[in-house]
């Protein structure tokens, strides 16, 4: 019984020379087994007859005979291994849920490899063999396995649906074509398939394009949300800063009000304490005199009374307290006046804080701007890095291209903007005259030019060192508390806004509002004439440093 349950392993049937399953196994006198050919060839090439395993040497080459029992065991082992392999292969080929099963298999259904449109059946690898070898079956139309092959047959004629009727947009068989669809536009199924496949390819491309557009839109929306979140965070931070400063001002005002009231009260109290002290001193003196008078009035000594009365005739205290009083400090209207003064202070501080906050906000849109030498008037001198421009007395011989200003000492930047927001700063220190702003692409660049929005310019200028004007058509004068050393220019294209700032004072100089922009906008500069050296300093495009 133990032998019946014994399952030999593959190692027991391997030849130690070729390392493969025994073929014609033979045994040596020492009891070891080898393939007949392996041991024979081994001894033929060796100068001594020796067992490859135990190294026992034989003086006479043994007469080797096939081990019958081992041969039978090897045969059984090979058969068992083949059955296991076949079973494993069969398991791999068994039809799984969702796969098309073979229509011919009985019992366990194997997975179909092909379906035949002529036989209307699906075949596994084994049962497909006749369609691959038999000449009669080779003409059948095979395709990847599909279910419900009956749906591919004409229900009227029981023939394969091999044609497509474009007129009725339906699949038909050959008999349908010569009967019901004789006059219709009928093409082979494959031809229509190729056409529809091409259409589907175009549709897929369109769908992918639509998907990409929507993905880009999602990215755009997310980017907008990110920008909105950043703007919100920045506004909150600025709001906290502004309100904190205002709160501190209110607290200072309250503390000053309390201090002022307390000081007035202390003054009144000090005055009252002085009066009380003086009165108490007089009362003390009067009490002393009263005691002396009482004592003298009870005296029986005539001489003593008469002599002492003279000393008591000294005048009493002469201060008249009738008109003396302590008046509480007049505090009526103190709070109103303090609040009014606080309101004035807060308004001033709030304007300053909002100006700083606004400047910080627009500075977030700083762009890199460089001057375009192709637009510069021939008398202008530009630095190599394109960041500075000044007036030169000598007119250079330059090509009069369509972009160049030929009559006024103007120059534009290389960069243009047709959407969004942008900001740049220009140092104007040491100058008595200058023009700054933005201009649209189609402006007149030849002959006499008027700087106004109607002519495509949104600019401000300085004249005579202290006359600032916004060139709005009729110019608007601007009275500035301090002379700007650096001017910031901000544009919101969609909002139609052009604003100018005194950067150091964080103050708004002027804003063009309600503008309608339809073209590219270019930063615009003019250093103006030298004015006998008084205005020789250059305009300098400066890097933006957030305050």
């Amino acid at each position: 019984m133990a032998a019946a349950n014994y399952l030999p392993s593959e190692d027991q049937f391997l030849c130690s020379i070729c390392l493969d399953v025994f073929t014609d196994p033979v045994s040596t006198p020492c009891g070891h087994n080898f393939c007949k050919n392996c041991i024979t060839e081994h001894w033929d090439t060796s100068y001594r007859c020796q067992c490859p395993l135990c190294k026992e040497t034989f003086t006479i080459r043994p007469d080797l005979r096939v081990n019958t029992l081992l041969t039978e065991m090897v045969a059984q082992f090979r058969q068992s291994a083949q059955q296991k392999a076949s079973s494993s292969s069969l398991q791999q080929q068994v039809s799984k849920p969702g796969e098309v099963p073979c229509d011919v298999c009985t019992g366990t259904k194997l997975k179909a490899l092909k379906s035949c449109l002529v036989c209307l059946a699906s075949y596994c690898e084994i049962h497909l063999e006749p369609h691959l070898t038999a000449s009669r079956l080779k003409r059948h139309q095979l395709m990847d396995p599909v279910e419900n092959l009956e749906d591919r047959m004409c229900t009227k004629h029981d023939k394969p649906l091999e044609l497509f009727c474009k007129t009725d947009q339906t699949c038909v068989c050959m008999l349908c074509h010569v009967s019901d669809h004789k006059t219709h536009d009928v093409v082979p199924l494959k031809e229509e398939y190729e056409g529809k496949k091409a259409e589907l390819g175009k549709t897929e491309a369109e769908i992918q394009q639509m998907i990409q557009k929507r993905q880009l839109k999602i990215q755009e929306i997310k980017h907008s949300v990110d920008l909105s979140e950043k703007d919100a965070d920045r506004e909150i931070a600025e709001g906290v800063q502004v309100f904190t400063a205002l709160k501190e001002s209110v607290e200072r005002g309250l503390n000053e009000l309390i201090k002022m009231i307390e000081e007035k009260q202390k003054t009144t109290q000090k005055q009252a304490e002085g009066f009380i002290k003086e009165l108490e001193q007089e009362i003390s003196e009067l009490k002393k005199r009263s005691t002396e008078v009482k004592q003298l009035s009870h005296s029986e000594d005539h001489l003593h009374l008469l002599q002492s009365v003279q000393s008591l005739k000294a005048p009493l205290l002469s201060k008249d307290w009738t008109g003396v009083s302590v008046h509480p400090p007049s505090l009526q209207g103190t709070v109103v006046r303090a609040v009014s003064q606080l309101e004035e202070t807060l308004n001033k501080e709030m304007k300053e804080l909002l100006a700083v906050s606004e400047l910080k906000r627009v500075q977030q849109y700083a762009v890199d701007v460089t001057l375009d030498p192709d637009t510069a008037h021939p008398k202008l001198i530009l630095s190599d890095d394109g960041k500075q421009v000044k007036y030169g007395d000598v007119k250079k011989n330059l090509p009069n291209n369509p972009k160049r200003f030929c009559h006024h000492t103007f120059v534009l930047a290389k960069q243009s903007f047709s959407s969004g927001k942008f900001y740049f700063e220009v140092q104007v220190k040491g100058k008595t005259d200058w023009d700054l702003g933005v201009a649209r692409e189609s402006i007149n660049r030849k002959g006499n030019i008027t700087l106004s929005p109607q002519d495509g310019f949104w600019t401000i200028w300085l004249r005579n060192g202290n006359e600032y004007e916004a060139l709005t058509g009729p110019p608007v004068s601007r009275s500035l508390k301090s002379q700007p050393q650096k001017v910031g220019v901000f544009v919101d294209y969609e909002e139609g806004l052009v604003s100018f700032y005194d950067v150091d004072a964080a103050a708004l100089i002027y804003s063009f509002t309600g503008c309608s922009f339809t073209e590219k906008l270019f930063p615009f500069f003019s250093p103006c004439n030298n004015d006998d050296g008084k205005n020789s300093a250059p305009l300098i495009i400066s890097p933006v440093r957030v305050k």
Side-chain angles (χ1 to χ4, degrees):
M1 292 296 293
N5 292 331
Y6 175 68
L7 295 175
S9 66
E10 183 179 359
D11 293 344
Q12 294 175 284
F13 300 105
L14 296 182
C15 171
S16 60
I17 297 176
C18 67
L19 302 179
D20 200 354
V21 179
F22 288 122
T23 302
D24 297 334
V26 294
S27 300
T28 60
C30 58
H32 294 118
N33 302 307
F34 305 95
C35 296
K36 184 176 182 180
N37 287 339
C38 290
I39 190 64
T40 301
E41 290 178 2
H42 176 72
W43 283 344
D44 286 344
T45 57
S46 178
Y47 66 93
R48 66 173 64 179
C49 188
Q50 189 179 50
C51 175
L53 288 178
C54 67
K55 306 303 181 183
E56 182 177 343
T57 302
F58 309 106
T59 54
I60 300 174
R61 184 166 177 169
D63 185 13
L64 298 175
R65 294 184 180 182
V66 174
N67 187 326
T68 306
L69 177 59
L70 185 56
T71 300
E72 291 177 356
M73 292 177 67
V74 169
Q76 290 177 359
F77 173 77
R78 287 182 184 275
Q79 184 178 2
S80 175
Q82 288 174 355
Q83 287 175 349
K84 285 182 181 179
S86 175
S87 175
S88 175
S89 175
L90 184 65
Q91 269 188 340
Q92 292 176 2
Q93 295 179 7
V94 171
S95 175
K96 299 175 183 177
E99 294 178 339
V100 179
C102 176
D103 292 325
V104 182
C105 288
T106 58
T108 302
K109 293 283 188 178
L110 299 185
K111 180 175 69 175
L113 292 184
K114 293 289 181 182
S115 293
C116 178
L117 292 178
V118 178
C119 303
L120 294 180
S122 298
Y123 301 104
C124 65
E125 183 178 5
I126 297 172
H127 296 117
L128 182 64
E129 185 67 22
H131 277 75
L132 302 177
T133 56
S135 58
R136 177 174 57 85
L137 297 177
K138 280 184 179 181
R139 294 193 294 269
H140 289 193
Q141 187 175 351
L142 297 176
M143 62 180 297
D144 289 336
V146 293
E147 294 181 325
N148 303 323
L149 284 169
E150 295 80 6
D151 295 343
R152 298 174 178 271
M153 298 296 290
C154 176
T155 56
K156 185 176 181 181
H157 302 106
D158 200 26
K159 296 292 184 183
L161 299 172
E162 300 177 293
L163 304 173
F164 183 81
C165 177
K166 289 189 172 184
T167 306
D168 293 339
Q169 290 293 300
T170 185
C171 297
V172 297
C173 69
M174 295 297 293
L175 293 180
C176 289
H177 178 34
V178 298
S179 58
D180 300 338
H181 300 265
K182 186 174 183 180
T183 59
H184 292 181
D185 184 8
V186 178
V187 297
L189 205 62
K190 186 176 181 181
E191 180 180 327
E192 184 64 17
Y193 161 82
E194 296 294 342
K196 293 296 184 187
K197 190 174 182 181
E199 289 180 11
L200 289 174
K202 291 181 181 178
T203 303
E204 172 63 14
E206 291 174 359
I207 292 173
Q208 289 300 323
Q209 190 175 12
M210 292 171 69
I211 291 172
Q212 289 176 3
K213 285 183 178 179
R214 280 152 180 78
Q215 288 174 337
L216 289 174
K217 180 57 69 176
I218 289 173
Q219 292 177 1
E220 179 184 332
I221 292 172
K222 287 183 177 179
H223 181 62
S224 298
V225 171
D226 290 341
L227 290 178
S228 176
E229 187 175 352
K230 290 178 181 177
D231 287 344
D233 291 341
R234 184 170 60 250
E235 291 297 323
I236 290 172
E238 291 177 0
V240 169
Q241 183 179 1
V242 169
F243 279 89
T244 300
L246 295 176
K247 180 182 175 183
E248 290 173 353
S249 292
V250 171
E251 290 176 349
R252 281 198 304 271
L254 176 60
N255 291 334
E256 289 173 1
L257 174 64
I258 294 172
K259 184 179 179 181
M260 180 188 67
I261 294 173
E262 288 178 344
E263 286 178 353
K264 284 186 176 183
Q265 175 59 26
K266 285 180 181 178
T267 301
T268 301
Q269 186 174 352
K270 188 175 181 181
Q271 183 187 29
E273 288 174 351
F275 288 156
I276 291 169
K277 185 177 181 181
E278 188 175 351
L279 286 167
E280 286 176 343
Q281 286 177 350
E282 290 185 1
I283 289 170
S284 178
E285 290 179 8
L286 290 170
K287 284 181 176 180
K288 181 179 179 183
R289 178 70 61 91
S290 175
T291 301
E292 291 176 352
V293 170
K294 284 180 181 180
Q295 289 176 352
L296 186 60
S297 64
H298 291 90
S299 174
E300 297 294 334
D301 187 343
H302 300 160
L303 179 64
H304 174 70
L305 185 148
L306 292 174
Q307 289 176 343
S308 299
V309 164
Q310 296 300 321
S311 64
L312 292 176
K313 286 183 177 180
L316 295 172
L317 298 172
S318 61
K319 184 170 182 176
D320 184 6
W321 288 93
T322 305
V324 176
S325 63
V326 174
H327 299 285
S330 177
L331 298 176
Q332 186 175 0
T334 302
V335 175
V336 174
R337 288 192 297 274
V339 170
S340 178
Q341 184 178 357
L342 175 62
E343 183 181 5
E344 184 179 340
T345 303
L346 287 178
N347 284 334
K348 181 180 178 182
E349 290 186 0
M350 187 166 60
K351 287 180 180 178
E352 292 175 355
L353 289 168
L354 290 177
V356 173
S357 176
E358 174 66 14
L359 182 59
K360 285 183 178 179
R361 185 183 68 81
V362 300
Q363 285 178 327
Q364 303 297 323
Y365 300 98
V367 294
D368 185 26
V369 173
T370 52
L371 300 168
D372 184 0
D374 291 338
T375 66
H377 183 275
K379 280 194 174 182
L380 294 181
I381 300 173
L382 275 60
S383 61
D384 293 338
D385 62 0
K387 297 295 183 181
Q388 300 186 29
V389 57
K390 63 181 181 179
Y391 183 84
D393 294 323
V394 180
K395 186 175 182 179
K396 298 187 290 294
N397 184 18
L398 298 174
N400 186 16
N401 62 66
K403 295 170 60 177
R404 190 179 306 283
F405 293 99
C406 64
H407 188 68
H408 296 275
T409 55
F410 298 159
V411 61
L412 299 179
K414 291 181 179 179
Q415 294 75 20
S416 64
F417 306 88
S418 55
S419 64
K421 305 176 182 68
F422 64 93
Y423 173 85
F424 60 94
E425 293 180 350
V426 182
Q427 181 179 306
V428 295
K429 183 178 180 181
K431 296 193 65 62
T432 59
D433 299 85
W434 48 258
D435 305 344
L436 285 176
V438 293
R440 66 184 178 216
E441 187 174 26
S442 63
I443 53 172
N444 174 31
R445 308 186 188 205
K446 312 298 179 183
N448 192 35
I449 298 173
T450 301
L451 298 181
S452 70
Q454 291 77 15
D455 295 296
F457 296 88
W458 292 266
T459 58
I460 62 172
W461 72 15
L462 168 66
R463 292 293 182 268
N464 303 318
N466 58 5
E467 298 174 8
Y468 295 91
E469 292 183 334
L471 306 181
T472 61
V476 176
S477 296
R478 306 303 295 166
S479 178
L480 306 182
K481 292 182 179 180
S482 60
Q483 187 173 15
Q485 303 297 299
K486 189 180 291 184
V487 175
V489 183
F490 172 71
V491 176
D492 187 333
Y493 194 97
E494 284 75 19
E495 190 68 22
L497 174 70
V498 182
S499 296
F500 298 86
Y501 296 88
D502 179 345
V503 176
D504 296 324
L508 177 67
I509 299 174
Y510 187 79
S511 285
F512 292 86
T513 58
C515 309
S516 179
F517 302 131
T518 57
E519 302 179 24
K520 293 178 180 179
L521 295 179
F522 291 82
F524 168 86
F525 311 83
S526 176
C528 298
N529 297 337
N530 277 343
D531 192 18
D532 296 328
K534 297 178 184 177
N535 191 41
S536 60
L539 290 176
I540 303 174
I541 301 171
S542 307
V544 175
R545 294 182 176 87
V546 179
K547 291 178 70 65

